[in-house]
Amino acid sequence: MTKRIVILGGGTGGTLTANRLRRELSTHDATITVVDQDDHHIYQPGLLFVPFGLTAPADIVKLRHQQLHHGIDFVEQPIERVDIDAQVVHLGDGRQLPYDLLVIASGAVLAPEETEGLVFGDTVHTFYDLAGSTALAEKLATFSGGRLVVNVVDMPIKCPVAPLEFCFLADWYFTERGIRDRVELIFATPLDAAFTKPVAAERLAHLLAEKGVAMVTEFNTGEVDGAGGKLVAYDGREQPFDLAVVVPMHAGAAYVGRSPGLGDELNFVPTDPHTLQSTVRPNIFVIGDATTVPASKAGSVTHFEGEVLVENILRFLADRPLDASYDGHANCFIETGFGKALLIDFNYDTEPLPGHYPSRIGMPLLKESRMNHLGKLMFQWFYWHTLLPARHVPGIESPMPHGGKELPADEIHQEAHV
Amino acid sequence: MSTTTLAGTPVEVNDEGFFVDPNQWTREMAEEMARADGIDELTPQHWQVIDFMRSEYFAKGTGPTVRILGKSSGVAVKELYQLFPKGPAKMAARIAGIPKPKGCI
């Protein structure tokens, strides 16, 4: 019998899953329907470059339906809720979409309303959505100097390195404009270090210091006072600003909260970190930012998950055990300004380490280089033409490669005993 | 990792003072740790948070973040900071005898 596969979300995860499934399953095997509330697919890594005039907003948006292969239905409708017992998706216009298998790929949304006083305006900005980064570009172009505070309100956020990249690029941008000496750059984070993983955190903290960016740790923003020009932490500490660039709290899509039994307190969907099957119903699978898996909310994670997810969906449909396993592989280019970037590569068990990717001969890891910057620029082409259509690229595989990494002495010792 | 004595019983804690085995924890130990952290007396509100942290830990394998505490423990985030001034998630997790919440990746 023909199975009905419904995919909620037409972003990175939804698109690459739909395309991969369509290639594996005939139209007799399954119908594939992708639902999204709009038809604008944003290349999210580009949002970082918009404020600095390095890319135009229009250059990072394409139509969602055009990224989907022939034989995939696209429905442009808001999602009202999912009835996980009746196996039906209720759409905004009252239509109902019954499914045999559901894929949640609706990502994360910004939740500024969860922070007291966080309203975007003249002195309080964000670059985490298209409207925000576009407005910030105008603001930065006329910014003549003062205290610029980059603040992450709380984890988890999409692309945890992006706020650091913003600091590095701001240092470059104001240097280019000849006013760097008039701009004080501050990075205020709720974490106790620059990043969540120790080796990379140390390297990134060093880079912040080199570029004259002051780091304030364990700063848990309780209130944003736009009129008074200050961030107030729950412990009473204050950060005065002339311009605040705030990364607001994130949550899962609102419809998840309206669907009884589907999500957690933050509207993310509880997901097995290895099989990517939801733990709420066996016929619901989850990919990308919408999951609760302990990996970064990032496109590379979604990309590497895709291969495992599709393999397990095919197994599920064939009543076979789900033995494909995701290892938490993530990698990202970290733009550091002045035409350079770092690359980090890690998974659930191995933190980002120095070395080369994907093997001993390859791009340098945890080290600034022009090659990594070019890699970051080329990635946009790769995203639209290879990643979304789910074309296979030799060397870029789902499991994390160990070959090029310089393991610390004690880990080499441990591995020798395994 | 080291061994410390709480309420007259030796317990194993890590470098930051978090319990290695949450089953070694007793309420008397919590009171003693709280006093050492500058909380003279654990009020019913403190206990509400501590009990919530332990039940979340045993249900989910990790302690809740401040944000989830604020949404689900019945105590608002602002009050959480008044109850546990050194940072609710970490400080309350330590007193509740559970590992440091993973929270953020």
Side-chain angles (χ1 to χ4, degrees), chain A residues 389-403:
Chain A
R391 293 205 174 93
H392 181 251
V393 188
I396 312 293
E397 315 286 350
S398 177
M400 187 197 77
H402 286 85

Side-chain angles (χ1 to χ4, degrees), chain A residues 111 114 116 154-157 160 191-192 195-197 218 220 222-223 234-235 249-251 264-266 268 293-297 346, chain B residues 16 52 56 60 64-69 71-73 76-82 84-90 100 102-105:
Chain A
E114 288 198 36
E116 199 179 322
D154 200 0
M155 303 298 281
I157 59 168
L191 300 176
D192 57 8
F195 191 57
T196 51
K197 315 275 181 168
E218 296 185 83
N220 291 287
E223 188 194 342
Y234 280 113
D235 62 7
M249 286 192 201
H250 286 36
D264 68 8
E265 301 91 336
L266 305 181
F268 294 113
V293 311
S296 297
K297 298 201 178 296
F346 55 110
Chain B
E16 292 177 277
F52 179 80
E56 280 279 293
K60 294 181 182 168
T65 60
V66 179
R67 190 172 164 205
I68 291 180
L69 275 176
K71 279 183 189 287
S72 311
S73 70
V77 176
K78 262 193 180 161
E79 294 168 86
L80 286 167
Y81 275 89
Q82 286 157 6
F84 300 97
K86 291 180 190 169
K90 264 200 215 170
K100 188 171 158 181
K102 290 183 195 130
C104 33
I105 304 293

